[in-house]
Amino acid sequence: MARSTSSVITLNINGEKFTLPVDHRTTLLDALRERLDLTGTKKGCDQGQCGACTVLLDGRRSVACLQLAVAAEGREITTIEGVADGDRLHPVQEAFLDLDGFQCGYCTPGQICSAIGVIEEHAAGWPSAATGDVRPEAGPPPLTAEEIRERMSGNLCRCGAYVSIVEAVARAAAATAGTGAAAHGGSATQSEEAVA
């Protein structure tokens, strides 16, 4: 008996459930863009190297072009369309707008989703390749420009807006740390001062 090569799946995207039939080889990126008209997630290289298709899966960064749609079933998927709180922009979105963290804007949705993941990973104490002291008791390192660059290195900007992107991530990190800065060992302005 031949096995079926397609399934009906239910994806939880931005707090809504979408049920659709998909070929087992369909990537999450293609399901989002071609089947559900969520075109904010961009197709760049289609090889997991540029980060334009970055989304959040259960709050963690993932390149949607390498994620099969069937493997995303049962997970919380957040795309750029779901990061704002109604009409109120996410602090990362606000920082990108205020500091011109984009030029053509093609990579911006992936940059923003990745930055949200970066800020949460940093606050949780996850080290990066640029972190000097990786011992858990050392706590999160200062979110310097070097740290931000390393953590965001999977997201390419062909226009070269990197300086503004780093500043935007630092500002957003400072804004989100304002409510829990003491718990993470830094002041709300530490990230911006480190970048300056």
Side-chain angles (χ1 to χ4, degrees), residues 2 6 11 31 33 35 41 45 54 75 82 84 88 92 106 123 144 183 194:
S6 63
L11 298 176
R33 290 184 57 80
R35 304 293 307 284
T41 305
C45 66
T54 303
R75 300 181 72 185
R88 198 169 121 232
V92 173
Y106 194 83
T144 62

Side-chain angles (χ1 to χ4, degrees), residues 29 32-33 38-56 62-66 78-81 104-114 152-158 162:
L29 174 60
L32 292 170
R33 290 184 57 80
L38 293 169
T39 57
T41 305
K42 304 300 185 205
K43 183 177 277 199
C45 66
D46 213 18
Q47 298 177 357
Q49 296 180 3
C50 74
C53 67
T54 303
V55 296
L56 299 171
S62 179
V63 285
C65 71
L66 296 183
T78 305
T79 68
I80 191 65
E81 292 91 350
C104 79
Y106 194 83
C107 72
T108 306
Q111 297 273 3
I112 289 171
C113 286
S114 189
M152 292 290 293
S153 64
N155 291 80
L156 303 180
C157 174
R158 288 173 175 88
Y162 294 115

Side-chain angles (χ1 to χ4, degrees), residues 9-107:
I9 62 171
T10 300
L11 298 176
N12 188 359
I13 305 168
N14 302 326
E16 292 183 53
K17 292 192 183 298
F18 298 88
T19 301
L20 66 156
V22 295
D23 183 287
H24 292 161
R25 298 165 294 180
T26 303
T27 64
L28 178 58
L29 174 60
D30 287 337
L32 292 170
R33 290 184 57 80
E34 308 300 329
R35 304 293 307 284
L36 299 173
D37 286 331
L38 293 169
T39 57
T41 305
K42 304 300 185 205
K43 183 177 277 199
C45 66
D46 213 18
Q47 298 177 357
Q49 296 180 3
C50 74
C53 67
T54 303
V55 296
L56 299 171
L57 286 179
D58 296 330
R60 294 185 63 184
R61 304 183 277 168
S62 179
V63 285
C65 71
L66 296 183
Q67 175 74 41
L68 294 175
V70 294
E73 188 171 27
R75 300 181 72 185
E76 246 349 279
I77 303 163
T78 305
T79 68
I80 191 65
E81 292 91 350
V83 299
D85 183 11
D87 290 336
R88 198 169 121 232
L89 294 177
H90 189 282
V92 173
Q93 290 174 304
E94 288 179 1
F96 268 70
L97 283 172
D98 292 346
L99 297 168
D100 295 325
F102 55 90
Q103 286 183 36
C104 79
Y106 194 83
C107 72

